[in-house]
Amino acid sequence: MISQEFSASAMNRLRRRGAQFDYRADDGTIPISEDQWRKVLYKVQDEIIQGSYRYRSFNVKKLGDKKLLFTTKSLENILVIRKINDNVRRAYRVRQANRHDTVVQVKQALEESVPKRIYKLDIKSFYESVPKRKLLSSLKKDRLLSNVTLDLIDKLFKYTSHLGARGLPRGLQISATLSELVARRLEQDLREIDGVYYVARYVDDIIILTNNVKSDLIPDISRKFAFHGLSLNDKKLLEHSVKCRCSEGCSHKNGCPCARKCSCKPILSNNSMRELDFLGYKLAFPDVNGPNQSKPNDIGVYLADKKVDKYKRRVWRAVEDFLRTQDQEMLLKRIMYLTGNHKIAESDDGSALYGGIYYNFNLYASLAEPGLCFDNKLASLDRFLEKALLRAFKICPVTRLTVREILSLTFSNGFKWRRRRAFTPSEIVRIGACWNEL
């Protein structure tokens, strides 16, 4: 078993050198030398061994809808919470789900040519709804965590509750890990519902597929949620059925003999397609299965509504800033940034990690029907970008060469050719200044 001791050496391994300089020790200093670090680490270690460790102050910010965001500048808090989180993740083998793989699996499940009912679920106020006492009791029964780790979690719950937290304190690293344990157990229970044959989950976004197309599973689903102290977010609840259209008037149960006579065929039109926004994508699929069960259903993968709106908002703010400053070079960089791809970090093995219109949405694949989900296509973003730029250039004229250079930048080409742009960290800060998002 991996050691869960809160020793100075164990906490030192979680320092994240170069990433902790916003945090200060109790005396208000930022440790730099190894001697200064040892002083802080051994002080925390001794307090924990003696059972006298107390959490330092947290900053609490109201987010609205009775939600609070917890942050801290205390180096002692950060070191202890990081070690708690490390212990929990290792003991329960918590791993972040892969967004790309999850979307691929959902797409493959929708492609299967079988009658199905699809539920898209969201947990209402997830962090705030988690029953802390029940969670802590469950952690103790599992006997995977040391008594010291459990005691420090208990103290954190009590301290943040005193500050007004309901459920898990939003904003703290350990809350994301503990919420994953709760969601994992909920997911296991959802799989046990009669008729459910597939469940996909990414954090608190859940998709369920069932072969029970005639019965409503929401009561069963709600009971599973309630057992864990959670509730469904009715505003984000979505249901779709994929079955023959003539089954609506059929009185037979599952295994209907009328299905042999069914001649319903998929129609690729906006009226007959079903849509599912999931993890940044919009999945579009017909309301009936194809006539050939050995052939997968047609599934279109587009940009989700929120992502389209975000890109349009950024384009518009870039144009507004240009009209105010007349800074052509900055407008060019912002459009290059939006329509292209760029390096964002390096992985542990030294390889580059990229973000941008291709790397963030590499599963994008529209269906052949040109008018289908047009507002969620890259071509629609290209049209919006062109109109916004031409309007700006009419108000604030620039040279033909500049117009040609900027208008040559499109989302479609950035995706198709995976165009990469090099930006320095300072340039990215300036580029994102008008968006207040970077």
Side-chain angles (χ1 to χ4, degrees):
M1 181 177 178
I2 298 172
S3 173
Q4 296 185 11
E5 292 182 355
F6 285 76
S7 63
S9 59
M11 289 185 286
N12 186 54
R13 287 193 291 270
L14 301 173
R15 266 172 54 183
R16 297 181 191 169
R17 291 167 177 77
Q20 71 284 320
F21 294 116
D22 285 338
Y23 308 122
R24 295 178 180 272
D26 286 342
D27 59 7
T29 62
I30 300 176
I32 298 175
S33 68
E34 289 303 313
D35 285 340
Q36 291 172 323
W37 269 106
R38 275 194 291 271
K39 180 181 177 181
V40 174
L41 290 165
Y42 278 99
K43 178 186 177 184
V44 175
Q45 172 191 275
D46 292 343
E47 289 182 8
I48 292 176
I49 290 175
Q50 296 165 10
S52 61
Y53 181 81
R54 295 292 181 270
Y55 285 100
R56 279 60 170 178
S57 63
F58 288 93
N59 299 318
V60 184
K61 179 181 178 181
K62 291 183 178 181
L63 298 178
D65 195 26
K66 298 181 180 180
K67 294 180 181 179
L68 301 176
L69 179 68
F70 288 79
T71 57
T72 182
K73 293 294 184 182
S74 166
L75 184 57
E76 289 80 2
N77 278 354
I78 290 297
L79 291 171
V80 172
I81 291 174
R82 281 181 184 170
K83 182 55 181 167
I84 295 173
N85 190 65
D86 185 66
N87 289 350
V88 176
R89 291 184 71 87
R90 289 174 179 271
Y92 286 89
R93 299 181 181 180
V94 176
R95 298 288 183 272
Q96 177 64 57
N98 185 288
R99 170 179 172 264
H100 175 276
D101 292 347
T102 303
V103 175
V104 168
Q105 292 165 10
V106 171
K107 179 175 179 288
Q108 291 173 342
L110 293 174
E111 285 175 339
E112 294 180 359
S113 187
V114 295
K116 62 180 78 71
R117 195 166 191 170
I118 302 112
Y119 297 86
K120 183 173 183 291
L121 316 173
D122 180 77
I123 304 174
K124 185 177 181 180
S125 301
F126 187 17
Y127 280 25
E128 290 73 21
S129 300
V130 173
K132 289 180 287 194
R133 294 297 105 197
K134 183 177 181 178
L135 172 59
L136 188 60
S137 176
S138 177
L139 296 176
K140 291 178 179 178
K141 288 180 181 179
D142 292 340
R143 296 188 177 184
L144 295 175
L145 297 173
S146 66
N147 290 332
V148 174
T149 302
L150 291 168
D151 181 61
L152 289 170
I153 292 175
D154 189 23
K155 287 181 178 178
L156 180 63
F157 283 172
K158 289 177 179 177
Y159 186 71
T160 53
S161 292
H162 179 71
L163 296 175
R166 295 185 301 120
L168 298 175
R170 186 179 291 271
L172 301 185
Q173 183 184 39
I174 184 61
S175 295
T177 301
L178 293 175
S179 68
E180 176 65 19
L181 297 183
V182 176
R184 182 193 290 180
R185 288 166 178 169
L186 170 64
E187 179 184 346
Q188 292 170 348
D189 285 350
L190 291 174
R191 294 179 186 276
E192 296 175 358
I193 296 176
D194 186 38
V196 171
Y197 68 88
Y198 177 76
V199 177
R201 181 182 62 82
Y202 190 90
V203 190
D204 61 343
D205 286 327
I206 304 170
I207 288 181
I208 293 177
L209 270 64
T210 173
N211 54 25
N212 194 340
V213 296
K214 295 191 175 183
S215 300
D216 185 6
L217 295 187
I218 293 300
D220 292 331
I221 292 172
S222 296
R223 280 191 290 271
K224 298 294 186 182
F225 270 65
F227 177 78
H228 294 277
L230 307 172
S231 58
L232 277 170
N233 188 342
D234 294 333
K235 294 181 180 179
K236 294 186 177 180
L237 175 63
L238 187 67
E239 295 181 54
H240 287 310
S241 291
V242 178
K243 58 183 180 180
C244 62
R245 300 182 189 97
C246 55
S247 66
E248 293 297 331
C250 174
S251 60
H252 294 96
K253 295 183 179 180
N254 292 330
C256 168
C258 304
R260 303 191 194 96
K261 304 176 183 178
C262 176
S263 59
C264 296
K265 294 181 180 180
I267 301 174
L268 298 184
S269 70
N270 287 318
N271 290 333
S272 62
M273 297 293 284
R274 300 294 178 256
E275 298 176 356
L276 195 67
D277 278 21
F278 186 59
L279 303 186
Y281 291 100
K282 179 183 289 292
L283 303 176
F285 48 96
D287 60 343
V288 299
N289 293 303
N292 186 353
Q293 291 192 354
S294 63
K295 182 182 177 182
N297 292 325
D298 291 322
I299 308 293
V301 185
Y302 304 86
L303 270 63
D305 294 341
K306 287 185 178 180
K307 297 300 180 181
V308 172
D309 292 342
K310 182 177 181 178
Y311 273 111
K312 288 183 177 180
R313 187 167 59 249
R314 286 187 167 191
V315 167
W316 192 245
R317 287 180 179 174
V319 167
E320 285 183 328
D321 190 74
F322 165 70
L323 293 175
R324 182 177 59 83
T325 64
Q326 299 186 19
D327 189 338
Q328 298 178 29
E329 182 181 359
M330 181 50 62
L331 176 64
L332 175 63
K333 287 182 178 179
R334 283 173 174 153
I335 302 305
M336 289 173 63
Y337 183 92
L338 289 174
T339 60
N341 305 279
H342 55 279
K343 182 178 177 181
I344 55 176
E346 287 188 359
S347 61
D348 295 337
D349 61 5
S351 60
L353 298 176
Y354 289 91
I357 192 64
Y358 173 78
Y359 293 94
N360 291 352
F361 304 100
N362 63 330
L363 294 176
Y364 174 87
S366 59
L367 293 175
E369 186 65 30
L372 196 63
C373 298
F374 182 77
D375 290 343
N376 299 85
K377 297 175 75 169
L378 294 178
S380 176
L381 281 178
D382 290 339
R383 180 182 295 183
F384 179 86
L385 174 62
E386 182 181 35
K387 287 183 178 180
L389 290 172
L390 289 176
R391 180 183 178 187
F393 295 150
K394 184 177 275 190
I395 298 172
C396 183
V398 296
T399 65
R400 287 188 177 182
L401 183 62
T402 300
V403 171
R404 191 180 304 117
E405 183 178 16
I406 297 181
L407 288 181
S408 69
L409 302 171
T410 66
F411 291 96
S412 296
N413 285 339
F415 179 88
K416 181 179 180 180
W417 303 111
R418 307 183 192 181
R419 287 177 173 164
R420 298 176 182 175
R421 312 290 185 182
F423 299 102
T424 65
S426 60
E427 281 182 318
I428 292 178
V429 171
R430 288 192 62 209
I431 286 171
C434 71
W435 300 324
N436 297 321
E437 298 171 2
L438 297 177

